[in-house]
């Protein structure tokens, strides 16, 4: 009985735990890529004036670092993609359902408390969804910036 209750409670927490882990690891990837971009831009400007050969060597090193971060990013998204897909799908369906439920409560003049509670539940889900999208968008922007930067430099 206690085991089944624990499994039931944990299964309800699992999407939130994996979402928090995604936010933590995603933020780490975003910070790593942003710091790499800043280091590249700062050092390349200085090295390009001094020695083009040294500049090319540094860029090759940075390209390797970028490859490692990109591989970690790919594994991160492969690991969390299924869980996040189902969480986002459930959030989307829950938000639409809560919106219709609040609309029905407003139209039927039932309890305003129920309608407000329903809308607060939707906003709670939308906040989590926006955090996931924000982190994913920032990682994508950094990946594209660095990718096109290396393509421009090495071609």
């Amino acid at each position: 009985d206690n085991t089944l209750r624990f499994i039931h409670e944990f299964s309800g927490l699992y999407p939130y735990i994996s979402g928090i882990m995604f936010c933590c690891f995603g933020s780490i990837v975003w910070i790593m890529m942003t710091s790499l971009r800043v280091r590249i831009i700062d050092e390349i400007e200085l090295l390009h004036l001094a020695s083009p050969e040294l500049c090319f060597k540094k860029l090759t090193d940075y390209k390797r670092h970028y490859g490692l971060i990109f591989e970690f990013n790919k594994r991160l998204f492969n690991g969390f993609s299924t869980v996040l897909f189902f969480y986002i799908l459930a959030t989307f369906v829950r938000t639409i359902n809560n919106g219709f439920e609040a609309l029905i409560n407003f139209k039927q003049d039932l309890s305003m408390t129920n309608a407000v509670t329903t809308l607060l539940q939707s906003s709670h889900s939308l906040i989590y969804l926006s955090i996931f999208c924000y982190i994913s968008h920032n990682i994508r922007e950094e990946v594209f910036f660095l990718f096109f930067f290396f393509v421009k430099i090495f071609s």
Side-chain angles (χ1 to χ4, degrees):
D1 185 41
N2 287 337
T3 306
L4 290 176
R5 191 176 71 201
F6 173 75
I7 291 172
H8 176 71
E9 289 175 5
F10 183 74
S11 66
L13 288 176
Y14 180 70
Y16 292 107
I17 292 171
S18 56
I20 290 170
M21 288 177 58
F22 172 78
C23 288
C24 292
F25 288 129
S27 297
I28 289 169
V29 169
W30 176 35
I31 290 169
M32 286 174 14
M33 295 194 84
T34 303
S35 66
L36 180 64
R37 176 177 51 95
V38 169
R39 276 181 48 196
I40 288 172
I41 291 172
D42 288 345
E43 287 188 17
I44 295 307
E45 287 177 355
L46 294 174
L47 288 175
H48 186 66
L49 298 173
S51 168
E53 295 82 23
L54 185 60
C55 178
F56 188 76
K57 183 183 179 306
K58 275 288 198 186
L59 277 175
T60 307
D61 289 342
Y62 285 137
K63 186 177 176 183
R64 186 176 50 83
H65 292 304
Y66 170 76
L68 292 173
I69 294 171
F70 186 77
E71 184 65 31
F72 179 73
N73 184 35
K74 193 167 100 175
R75 289 176 188 251
L76 175 75
F77 279 103
N78 285 341
F80 286 106
S81 61
T82 306
V83 173
L84 288 176
F85 172 74
F86 286 116
Y87 178 76
I88 289 171
L89 182 66
T91 301
F92 181 71
V93 170
R94 189 180 316 118
T95 302
I96 290 174
N97 184 36
N98 288 345
F100 281 121
E101 186 179 335
L103 185 65
I104 290 170
N105 286 342
F106 278 134
K107 277 190 161 185
Q108 294 178 351
D109 288 331
L110 294 175
S111 173
M112 282 295 280
T113 308
N114 288 341
V116 171
T117 303
T118 305
L119 290 176
L120 286 176
Q121 288 173 346
S122 292
S123 65
H124 175 264
S125 299
L126 288 174
I127 289 171
Y128 279 124
L129 186 63
S130 64
I131 290 171
F132 293 146
C133 292
Y134 177 74
I135 290 173
S136 299
H137 174 73
N138 286 336
I139 291 172
R140 191 177 131 245
E141 288 294 315
E142 290 296 328
V143 167
F144 283 140
F145 178 82
L146 287 172
F147 175 75
F148 289 121
F149 179 78
F150 283 126
V151 166
K152 185 175 82 173
I153 295 293
F154 285 106
S155 54

